[in-house]
Structure formats: C-alpha cells, structure tokens
Amino acid sequence: MITLAVLIMLGIMSQSTAAKGALSEEGFAEYVVNLKTEAIANGFSEALVNKSFAKVTFHKRAVKADRSQPENIETLDTYLPKRVPKWKVDKARALYKEHQVLLNQIGEQYQVQPRFIVALWGLETNFGQYTGGYNVISALATLAYEGRRETFFKKQLMAALTILAEGHISNDNMKGSWAGAMGQNQFMPTSFLSYAVDGDGDGKKDIWQNQADVFASMANYLRKVGWDDEFTWGRQVKLPENFDYNLAIPKNTGNRQNWLKAWAKTEKTLAQWQALGVRRSDGTNLPSVDIKAALVLPDDKNGRVYLAYDNYKSLMHWNLSYYFVSSVGHLSDHIKFPPIK
C-alpha cells in the first residue's frame, strides 16, 4: 500500500492546504482531488471514489464546531439533571420494555446488561432521533482539509470508504455528526470497522436504521473493551472527614493511557475502601464483595464521589469523560430501579 509520505515525496499529494493559508472553497476542491488520488492509491476503485466524492461539499459549520471549545462551567449537579431528566428516564424505561425480547437476546449473546445498551442509545442520539445530518464523506474531508487533525480525519475517511466498499450503507444514507460520528450509536468509521456487527444476519451492518445491528454493535463494543456483566458500573459514595484525596484518581490525567495508569495505581478492594472510611451514599457499609474499585471525583473535592468498578473503564473507553460515564451510569440505574413490570 502506498503511504502518504511516498505520495508527498512523489509530488502526488501535497501537505494540508489549510495549513498553508485561509480555508476556501477553491482550496477545498483542490484538496479533494488529492484525497481522491490517495484513496485510489490505497486500493479503492476509481468508480467507488468518484461516486463517494461526487456530492462532497465544504462544511464551514463543521470547522467552526471543531474549533469551538465550550467553557467548562458545568458540575455534575448541573449536568446530570439536563442529561438525565425525568422524561428521558421514562422514555428509556418504555423503550427498554418495548425492545425487551431483542435486548435480552443480545445481552445474553454478548454478556452485557441491556440497560446499559439503552442508556448509551439514549445519551448518544436520544434513542436514535438525533443522529446528525452531515454527509460523512463531506464532514471528514472538510475536517481533514482544516488541517489541525488531518491524520486522524483522513484515517476516518479511508475507513468510511471501506464501509461503502463493503456495501453496508449507501453514500447518500451515510449520515452523521459534524465530526463524522455515525448512526444511532455514533460510531466513528474506525470504530464501525472494529465493533459494528450484523445483528440480524442480513449481511449488512446497519447502525443507522436496523435496531438489531444498533444494539448488537453497542454490546459488542462494550464486550470487546472488557465489559463484565457480573458487575455494575460503580456507585456514589461518601468520604470520611480528613480523607486523603491522593487516594483518588486525579481529575485531569491528560489521556486514556495516563488515566489507566492512575487507575492501576489507586484501585483497592472494597474491604480496603471500607477500612478507610468510605461508605455508600446513604452512609451504610460498602457491599461485602471481593472486587476492586477506584475512587473518581469528577468535580474534585467539592462534588460527587464515586467508587468505579472495572466496567467504568469500558465506558471511559467509549467516551473519556467522567460526566458522560456518570450520565450513562445514572440512566442505567434508573432503568433498573424500580423494576420494570
């Protein structure tokens, strides 16, 4: 396979046009020509490439969204009521009941509790209602051209072409977010190639419209990143006075690798946390179960405190955000309790 470095050396592929100057429609058009050349050099057929790029457009809104950095003014106490309001809990419970037969089949096959599948579904796309209206090829080409994360978005673009080449979806129907996250579970193209599955055996992996494929792909993702259905995600706890906060994972570790190192350094058994004075949120003793957990403080010392089990790591693999994982955990708990009749 011809690499980008070789293409640049041969003069076939230029460095990001966006890095050299202001973004423009003309510059984007030139960049797309180079993208198509690289795609063909990577083994995609000229017919597929031409068809995939036939209606490609430059999305200024995608660039604006990618460059925008929202102010961090939320706390979990303000975030959770907005992300997990009562109407969403009610809807999650109703849809869980509606799809219970299918969810139970998939949960048993992949050994993932169905309530977590429904919680992720609800938080990613409001149960499939908001999946994004951007053409994925256009969105990824735009952000590759923008240049700040060119390597990442070009990798996603080539993965998207692979999905089209395999016939799972048509280009016109391959819709997603401004960043190229696709379908009811918002998989990036590389995640699709790694985790999407054909849930109903029709020969396609359709995370846009096929509910069996959506649920099975989410369950497969969690299972492949270490999910254990014998346990839950974590629990909110209380700390004693004068607690040593060095025993908790730091709020900002920089990246997933550092976060996992901090987890390994700080995790303890529930018996050890009990001995250190950690209690359930209602003040009662921790469960008498021989498992390990790490202490997570999403808002540092001033906010909620959680003992996180290994499944928490799987959810952080999905989205490296304490707030997101907390919202998934809380919604899943509301699905479980009280029991759905």
Side-chain angles (χ1 to χ4, degrees):
M1 184 178 289
I2 300 177
T3 66
L4 175 59
V6 173
L7 290 169
I8 292 174
M9 181 178 68
L10 296 175
I12 297 173
M13 185 74 187
S14 64
Q15 294 181 3
S16 171
T17 305
K20 297 178 181 178
L23 303 178
S24 67
E25 297 280 358
E26 295 77 11
F28 178 70
E30 293 176 4
Y31 188 77
V32 166
V33 171
N34 290 332
L35 280 178
K36 292 170 67 176
T37 300
E38 183 178 0
I40 293 170
N42 281 338
F44 295 103
S45 73
E46 186 173 351
L48 173 73
V49 171
N50 287 336
K51 184 176 181 180
S52 301
F53 282 90
K55 298 179 181 178
V56 72
T57 56
F58 176 54
H59 288 299
K60 291 182 179 180
R61 286 189 301 169
V63 173
K64 183 178 180 181
D66 187 51
R67 290 179 172 178
S68 297
Q69 298 295 330
E71 294 182 17
N72 185 19
I73 57 175
E74 292 274 19
T75 67
L76 266 181
D77 287 337
T78 61
Y79 178 85
L80 284 175
K82 290 187 290 187
R83 290 289 281 161
V84 191
K86 185 179 183 303
W87 69 262
K88 182 164 282 188
V89 171
D90 292 342
K91 188 170 184 179
R93 289 171 62 85
L95 288 170
Y96 181 98
K97 187 173 182 178
E98 178 183 336
H99 296 286
Q100 193 161 13
V101 173
L102 175 61
L103 284 165
N104 285 343
Q105 290 173 349
I106 290 170
E108 185 175 344
Q109 179 180 355
Y110 292 96
Q111 296 180 290
V112 173
Q113 302 97 309
R115 63 189 175 104
F116 288 97
I117 299 172
V118 175
L120 284 166
W121 184 37
L123 290 162
E124 285 290 5
T125 61
N126 191 23
F127 311 102
Q129 288 192 346
Y130 303 115
T131 58
Y134 285 87
N135 174 274
V136 169
I137 297 297
S138 291
L140 295 173
T142 294
L143 292 173
Y145 167 62
E146 188 268 344
R148 290 188 309 121
R149 292 184 289 166
E150 182 182 23
T151 299
F152 172 79
F153 284 111
K154 281 173 62 175
K155 181 179 181 180
Q156 298 302 324
L157 180 59
M158 297 303 163
L161 290 175
T162 299
I163 295 166
L164 291 171
E166 291 179 354
H168 300 295
I169 192 77
S170 69
N171 184 45
D172 288 342
N173 291 326
M174 186 188 258
K175 302 291 186 180
S177 73
W178 58 264
M182 310 180 303
Q184 295 188 35
N185 42 16
Q186 292 291 277
F187 278 0
M188 291 299 289
T190 52
S191 292
F192 181 103
L193 295 179
S194 295
Y195 305 112
V197 294
D198 176 8
D200 63 355
D202 68 353
K204 293 184 178 181
K205 303 172 184 177
D206 180 2
I207 62 171
W208 293 265
Q209 299 292 333
N210 188 310
Q211 218 58 64
D213 292 2
V214 171
F215 293 160
S217 296
M218 297 167 92
N220 185 52
Y221 184 111
L222 291 177
R223 188 64 182 173
K224 282 195 170 181
V225 297
W227 192 269
D228 186 344
D229 68 348
E230 292 294 318
F231 303 104
T232 186
W233 66 288
R235 67 176 62 251
Q236 191 170 342
V237 295
K238 284 184 176 181
L239 301 179
E241 292 185 9
N242 302 317
F243 184 78
D244 182 3
Y245 286 93
N246 289 322
L247 298 175
I249 297 177
K251 181 180 178 182
N252 297 311
T253 56
N255 56 44
R256 176 171 173 76
Q257 183 178 8
N258 289 340
W259 185 81
L260 289 173
K261 287 180 180 178
W263 179 293
K265 183 178 179 180
T266 59
E267 71 174 351
K268 301 179 186 301
T269 65
L270 292 188
Q272 289 173 318
W273 288 120
Q274 173 79 17
L276 288 166
V278 179
R279 297 293 183 268
R280 299 181 200 233
S281 57
D282 63 2
T284 59
N285 290 336
L286 297 177
S288 181
V289 183
D290 186 20
I291 58 173
K292 290 186 175 181
L295 201 63
V296 176
L297 285 71
D299 294 318
D300 292 324
K301 302 177 183 179
N302 301 316
R304 303 185 188 206
V305 184
Y306 295 91
L307 273 181
Y309 305 135
D310 276 352
N311 286 338
Y312 197 101
K313 290 190 283 189
S314 299
L315 293 173
M316 285 285 275
H317 192 284
W318 185 291
N319 186 333
L320 193 66
S321 163
Y322 288 143
Y323 283 18
F324 178 82
V325 172
S326 298
S327 64
V328 172
H330 279 274
L331 182 52
S332 73
D333 287 346
H334 283 304
I335 294 170
K336 184 177 181 180
F337 303 108
I340 296 173
K341 297 180 181 179

